[in-house]
Amino acid sequence: MSAIVSRLVQAIMVAILIGTATFVMMRSLPGDAAWRIAAGRYGYDNVDAAAADAVRAELDLDGPAHTALLQWMGDLARLDFGNSLVTGQPVVDEIAHQLGASASLALVAVLLSLVIGPPLGILAGLRPGGRLDRALLVTSTGIKAVPQFLVALVLIVILAVQLRWLPAAGHGAARHFILPSLTLALGLAAVNARIARDAMARIADMPFWRFAQWKGLSERQTLLRHGLRNVSVPLITYLGLQFVTLVEGVIIVESVFGWPGIGHALVHAIFSRDVPMVQGTALVLGLGFVLVNAAIDLAIRHLDPRAAA
């Protein structure tokens, strides 16, 4: 019960901090917010001073900033995220539509990274210093050093432009998942592989591992019975930290591939100075981080009962 209360308090604090921080940052951006909002509504070619002035008067953009912030927090206490300044639609409806696209892309990327990274890391950890171990170190370091937008562009040029195997952008078919999810998965797999490698190398050097083999178990049997459960604990623990990397990657990848998700919407909301949309989107991402960490804590307690002690 104490863990649940702690997570609820953490979620409330995250909501207040994120809402305040995003509001202050959006208000601090240079330029005319009314002009940006009008451009988001009518298009940049159709905006003039009269349209901007009408938007300013309608939304009371010259009013006290603290009043707008307190009003947003009051609405949030009633679970009301407000309306988009550009579309006029409820923010919660906009996010609900976009969150599904982002969640499906993130899920495919995480599963793909777990298929690629940990098996290679485990094999390398069983033979520390071997060829696979050295090759994995060089490859994973190289992938992590390359920005994700550059990885995305390289994959587009090779697989979409030159080989024409996959579409460069789009949404709606299974093949549209491949390039964006692979872009996200490569960075995650590079880290997963190193974590699995280090954990496997440490476990293989422990007395219980040698004792299991002394009893006559093969390396494969020892791995399946004793190794995988122990390797999974640090991997699952790191998933919480990977969520931050995943959110950052989703924003970049969705923008590159035109994926209609929450990251793409956040970028457009920032450009359009759609403050309620930015606050709502950032809040959902922040609370998602709290939820993911809570789920990871439960998973670790199940895999390693010592963590609950």
Side-chain angles (χ1 to χ4, degrees):
M1 180 61 69
S2 61
I4 296 176
V5 173
S6 175
R7 291 298 181 183
L8 286 175
V9 172
Q10 184 180 0
I12 293 172
M13 294 301 297
V14 166
I16 295 174
L17 290 175
I18 288 179
T20 304
T22 52
F23 183 86
V24 171
M25 287 188 290
M26 291 299 293
R27 285 280 181 146
S28 301
L29 290 176
D32 188 351
W35 190 281
R36 292 281 189 175
I37 296 170
R41 289 183 178 183
Y42 314 120
Y44 282 93
D45 295 335
N46 299 320
V47 177
D48 54 19
D53 290 338
V55 168
R56 184 178 292 105
E58 174 192 344
L59 302 176
D60 193 22
L61 296 180
D62 293 331
H66 68 275
T67 302
L69 178 60
L70 291 176
Q71 181 180 352
W72 181 83
M73 288 186 175
D75 292 340
L76 182 62
R78 299 190 300 271
L79 301 181
D80 181 5
F81 284 20
N83 295 330
S84 168
L85 302 183
V86 175
T87 65
Q89 298 297 315
V91 170
V92 67
D93 292 343
E94 297 267 357
I95 293 177
H97 174 71
Q98 298 147 359
L99 188 59
S102 292
S104 60
L105 178 61
L107 179 62
V108 172
V110 169
L111 294 177
L112 188 57
S113 72
L114 293 177
V115 170
I116 298 172
L120 291 175
I122 290 172
L123 292 175
L126 290 171
R127 301 288 187 276
R131 291 182 178 179
L132 178 59
D133 189 21
R134 295 195 298 270
L136 183 64
L137 174 61
V138 173
T139 304
S140 60
T141 303
I143 291 175
K144 287 302 296 179
V146 178
Q148 282 190 315
F149 76 88
L150 184 56
V151 175
L153 293 177
V154 170
L155 291 177
I156 289 174
V157 169
I158 295 176
L159 298 179
V161 177
Q162 294 185 351
L163 299 178
R164 297 185 179 181
W165 288 352
L166 297 167
H171 176 262
R175 59 179 185 160
H176 292 132
F177 276 90
I178 298 177
L179 282 183
S181 63
L182 183 60
T183 302
L184 290 171
L186 287 177
L188 299 177
V191 179
N192 286 338
R194 295 306 302 170
I195 293 175
R197 182 268 175 203
D198 293 342
M200 189 69 253
R202 183 175 62 255
I203 292 167
D205 195 44
M206 289 184 175
F208 79 85
W209 182 274
R210 294 192 294 270
F211 179 71
Q213 293 185 323
W214 177 80
K215 289 192 304 181
L217 294 179
S218 66
E219 188 174 70
R220 179 176 179 274
Q221 291 172 322
T222 306
L223 175 63
L224 293 176
R225 295 186 185 183
H226 305 289
L228 293 182
R229 187 184 184 94
N230 288 281
V231 170
S232 65
V233 172
L235 276 174
I236 292 176
T237 302
Y238 188 75
L239 282 178
L241 298 176
Q242 279 191 322
F243 184 81
V244 178
T245 305
L246 187 60
V247 168
E248 178 186 351
V250 163
I251 294 174
I252 296 173
V253 169
E254 287 184 354
S255 298
V256 172
F257 290 97
W259 192 267
I262 198 168
H264 193 230
L266 177 60
V267 173
H268 281 277
I270 293 173
F271 279 118
S272 300
R273 304 292 178 86
D274 193 346
V275 178
M277 191 67 191
V278 174
Q279 287 177 305
T281 303
L283 180 61
V284 168
L285 294 176
L287 294 180
F289 182 73
V290 176
L291 180 62
V292 167
N293 277 278
I296 288 172
D297 287 345
L298 293 175
I300 292 174
R301 288 169 183 256
H302 174 73
L303 290 171
D304 187 3
R306 295 172 299 178

